[in-house]
Amino acid sequence: MSPIDPSPAPSRPSAVPPLTPEAVDALYARLAAALPEPRSELDYVNPYTLLVAVVLSAQATDKGVNKATKGLFAAADTPERMLALGEDGVRQHIRTIGLFNAKARNVIALSRDLVDHHGGQVPQDRAALEALAGVGRKTANVVLNVAFGHPTIAVDTHIFRVANRTGLAPGKTVRAVEDGLERVTPDRFRPHAHHWLILHGRYVCKARKPACATCAIADLCGYPDKGAGPGRAGA
């Protein structure tokens, strides 16, 4: 796996017991009711630009990536145009993003692979995606889900935390959590599960200040420190 698309480092999985199937169903139902059609917070115009945006988002914020890709995608929204722009051109657009030198190299390398081996199209195959520069399992899952509607669940640090903290899919590793989510998530919720969980972790079930008092699934969640409230406890 590329060093700039690492699996999120597991923090401290809680000892929260797994939720019952009924609680899992209710959890997703509430998240779905609050946000029926969740969308990626990364800006993109086609599967290729989504792929590039996700690669650039490793160790960077979506807001920062969107700021950089506004000009980049205006100049190059296909692999062929990105190759014409060149590594130096890519680097100039993404200098504000962490690891921009390695990311510029990877964007050019994956663009070349797409042109040489996939007719300039983003493949809908996990193995083919993971063979591209800068693309690991998490990135492949995001692209398969967002661009092509595959019911994959990419696990980042937010989802890893939510899955462990709530008891939705406890696991000591990223892959264990992903496999657990695949097992317990009802089929009707699978297409949007990734977005519901990441947005919940990003804005509600935050690492240091979980907003338990206003959380829609607080009564289902197994997290033991809900009474601490934002700003005090919360790991």
Side-chain angles (χ1 to χ4, degrees), residues 28 38 145 152-153 159 185 189-198:
Y28 277 117
N145 177 249
T152 53
I153 304 176
I159 295 179
T185 302
F189 295 125
R190 289 278 295 275
H192 293 315
H194 163 76
H195 281 122
W196 285 322
L197 296 175
I198 194 172

Side-chain angles (χ1 to χ4, degrees), residues 135-155:
V135 178
R137 186 176 181 87
K138 181 183 72 173
T139 294
N141 277 338
V142 173
V143 172
L144 289 171
N145 177 249
V146 177
F148 303 117
H150 294 202
T152 53
I153 304 176
V155 177

Side-chain angles (χ1 to χ4, degrees), residues 78-81 83 109-121:
T78 68
E80 295 83 358
R81 291 173 183 166
L83 290 174
L110 72 84
S111 299
R112 191 174 306 283
D113 282 345
L114 290 175
V115 170
D116 291 346
H117 304 296
H118 302 284
Q121 301 300 308

Side-chain angles (χ1 to χ4, degrees), residues 204 206-214 223-235:
V204 181
K206 294 175 283 187
R208 296 184 180 277
K209 300 179 181 180
C212 299
T214 57
Y223 182 53
D225 298 327
K226 297 187 191 73
R232 294 191 284 276

Side-chain angles (χ1 to χ4, degrees), residues 121-129 144 147-150:
Q121 301 300 308
V122 176
Q124 296 191 44
D125 176 78
R126 183 194 304 282
L129 284 168
L144 289 171
F148 303 117
H150 294 202

Side-chain angles (χ1 to χ4, degrees), residues 44-92:
Y44 65 97
V45 296
N46 54 34
Y48 171 71
T49 53
L50 173 66
L51 172 62
V52 171
V54 179
V55 167
L56 295 178
S57 71
Q59 301 182 36
T61 66
D62 287 0
K63 182 178 180 180
V65 172
N66 289 340
K67 183 177 180 180
T69 57
K70 182 176 181 180
L72 178 64
F73 294 158
D77 59 358
T78 68
E80 295 83 358
R81 291 173 183 166
M82 197 69 74
L83 290 174
L85 185 62
E87 186 177 323
D88 287 342
V90 173
R91 187 180 297 112
Q92 290 305 311

